[in-house]
Amino acid sequence: MKINDVILKTVVQFVVFIILTIAIYLFFAGHYTPGGGFVAGLVLASAAILLYITYDTEKVKNGLPIDFKVVAAIGVALAITTGIVPTLFGKPFLDMSSTSVHFPLIGEKEIATVMLFELGVALTVVGVVMTIILSISEGRDD
Amino acid sequence: MITLILKVALVFFALTIVISFYRVVKGPSMPDRIVALDTIGVNLLSMVAIVSIVFETKAYLEVILILGILSFIGTIAFSKFLERGVIIEHKSDR
């Protein structure tokens, strides 16, 4: 029996971008307010999971050819690198520095190296969560 | 006055969640339980909004966003499991 789920597929095409926007907002909000790399990674993973639920594994792999194990490895390497680099300058491990930069249109904003560490955490969370869920769902249904 | 109204609304939302939870536990069929879980999600979201009005804070607004996303994905996953028996298909026949 053919199942018609054109409503779900049309809605998801828009909702995925809303979820990705929320993930980016959470990532940059995580300095003084709730949010941060971990939560942003989880929300990114939920967007990917929504795609995997709506379509199937093969279609998403064609449109999004990412090996999530590699993503997790890149994230851990980035986080460790941002931790080790300060030791080369005689600072303690994971020492973070920040500077104030003037952006056009936005104004004075603070840029910190914590952002790179958070990016590593987010990539690690996306990679690990997606690897676990795709491994669980891999069994063929026959 | 407005605080009293908000608190009464909180009580009624909590009552709705209790009734929906009865439907989740007792529900004769599986679709009943899924609709009840979706109702619990929406009511929980409204409760968080009212609590954030009562406390006059913006700190809980992210909770509303993320709870909405998770409730949406959960409902879709349950519905797809009921319809096809599998959540993430390897290759759909369309």
Side-chain angles (χ1 to χ4, degrees):
Chain A
M1 186 182 106
K2 278 204 164 184
I3 296 165
N4 186 3
D5 54 355
V6 65
I7 294 176
L8 176 64
K9 287 187 176 174
T10 312
V11 166
V12 163
Q13 281 174 9
F14 294 99
V15 167
V16 161
F17 286 102
I18 296 174
I19 297 177
L20 292 178
T21 313
I22 293 172
I24 291 172
Y25 163 71
L26 280 176
F27 181 78
F28 286 109
H31 212 66
Y32 297 115
T33 50
F38 193 87
V39 189
L42 283 178
V43 175
L44 278 178
S46 75
I49 288 167
L50 187 60
L51 278 181
Y52 271 99
I53 288 177
T54 310
Y55 300 96
D56 51 22
T57 314
E58 284 207 353
K59 271 183 198 148
V60 181
K61 274 217 177 105
N62 283 336
L64 197 73
I66 299 172
D67 189 0
F68 286 103
K69 292 191 268 305
V70 177
V71 173
I74 290 173
V76 173
L78 192 61
I80 291 179
T81 310
T82 52
I84 287 179
V85 165
T87 61
L88 303 179
F89 298 103
K91 300 260 183 62
F93 183 64
L94 280 177
D95 189 55
M96 298 294 172
S97 65
S98 66
T99 174
S100 222
V101 181
H102 185 78
F103 285 105
L105 297 178
I106 309 176
E108 203 81 13
K109 286 286 173 188
E110 200 177 353
I111 285 188
T113 51
V114 186
M115 211 56 107
L116 286 173
F117 182 74
E118 292 277 334
L119 185 64
V121 172
L123 289 180
T124 311
V125 170
V126 170
V128 170
V129 169
M130 289 311 294
T131 306
I132 290 173
I133 287 181
L134 291 182
S135 319
I136 289 173
S137 73
E138 207 153 57
R140 299 290 186 90
D141 50 324
D142 48 10
Chain B
M1 187 63 199
I2 195 81
T3 318
L4 181 72
I5 294 174
L6 288 174
K7 281 175 184 169
V8 170
L10 268 183
V11 170
F12 276 108
F13 274 124
L15 209 64
T16 314
I17 288 180
V18 170
I19 296 171
S20 304
F21 187 72
Y22 172 76
R23 191 47 70 192
V24 170
V25 175
K26 187 78 194 303
S29 67
M30 217 49 192
D32 288 333
R33 293 193 174 96
I34 292 168
V35 173
L37 276 177
D38 200 34
T39 312
I40 288 180
V42 172
N43 284 307
L44 209 59
L45 222 132
S46 319
M47 278 184 82
V48 173
I50 291 181
V51 164
S52 105
I53 294 174
V54 169
F55 289 159
E56 290 181 10
T57 174
K58 286 189 291 185
Y60 299 139
L61 296 187
E62 283 93 351
V63 178
I64 298 175
L65 290 173
I66 295 180
L67 211 58
I69 293 171
L70 290 183
S71 160
F72 177 64
I73 294 177
T75 308
I76 287 179
F78 274 128
S79 314
K80 187 158 184 187
F81 178 72
L82 266 193
E83 205 176 56
R84 313 252 175 104
V86 59
I87 294 178
I88 298 180
E89 288 170 301
H90 190 73
K91 189 177 190 323
S92 67
D93 50 354
R94 271 161 300 132

